[in-house]
Amino acid sequence: IDKQTLEIVETLIPEPGKTAAHVEFARPGDVLVIWRLDRLGRSLAELVRLVADLEGAGVGLESLRERIDTTSPAGRLVFHLFASVAEFERQLILERTHAGLEAARARGRNGGRPGVSPETIAAIQALGADPERSPAEICRALSISRSTFYKYCAGTKAEAK
């Protein structure tokens, strides 16, 4: 496959998950060539469904990076093995992440952004009620973002502007 063909394929399939409309042009006997499997779909279920749809339409799939060609029984086997291993790996990562978060919570560590102190919330509400002050001025004075201002300044200037 030459560089021009690769550019055409990348143009036809610009983003993962948006391939259904782009493969409608394929005819039975064609082979859809992609750079990597993750260019075709974001999840195992999506990949398997799309490959089954292509297979049902008589269209093969060839992945250049993984060297998988689903036009043969061996290629389909390799595709499903790779897809299963990738799904297994994703599940292991998910389990490890959850176990790490639980262990951190057990040690008293909570993830996420730090919350806004009650004093800052009171200051936001007090300054937000003053019609002479703009939201930008209040945000600068309290070192908060505009979204934080509007989150805690409900019912005052937030509705007026």
Side-chain angles (χ1 to χ4, degrees):
I1 293 184
D2 60 9
K3 183 178 178 182
Q4 183 179 6
T5 304
L6 285 176
E7 289 172 359
I8 290 170
V9 170
E10 286 296 317
T11 302
L12 291 174
I13 305 176
E15 295 178 35
K18 295 192 177 183
T19 57
H22 298 297
V23 295
E24 290 178 2
F25 69 92
R27 298 177 303 255
D30 285 351
V31 175
L32 177 64
V33 179
I34 57 173
W35 172 241
R36 292 177 53 145
L37 282 176
D38 64 358
R39 299 297 300 156
L40 193 58
R42 293 179 187 257
S43 68
L44 173 65
E46 186 179 355
L47 278 172
V48 171
R49 181 192 51 76
L50 189 55
V51 169
D53 291 348
L54 288 170
E55 199 173 293
V59 177
L61 173 70
E62 184 177 346
S63 173
L64 299 177
R65 178 74 184 232
E66 292 88 1
R67 303 233 193 276
I68 296 174
D69 184 0
T70 64
T71 59
S72 69
R76 285 191 295 278
L77 173 66
V78 169
F79 168 76
H80 287 288
L81 285 174
F82 273 34
S84 296
V85 169
E87 179 69 16
F88 176 70
E89 183 179 17
R90 279 191 292 276
Q91 291 300 320
L92 282 179
I93 290 169
L94 186 65
E95 286 178 12
R96 288 179 188 147
T97 301
H98 286 295
L101 289 172
E102 285 179 26
R105 280 189 211 104
R107 291 190 310 267
R109 310 277 291 183
N110 289 326
R113 291 184 174 183
V116 178
S117 69
E119 296 83 17
T120 304
I121 294 172
I124 291 170
Q125 293 170 343
L127 293 171
D130 183 1
E132 298 295 318
R133 294 185 182 261
S134 70
E137 180 184 353
I138 296 168
C139 291
R140 274 193 306 273
L142 297 175
S143 299
I144 59 171
S145 68
R146 192 179 278 279
S147 61
T148 301
F149 170 78
Y150 284 109
K151 179 179 179 180
Y152 295 105
C153 194
T156 59
K157 192 179 298 187
E159 292 176 0
K161 296 231 174 199

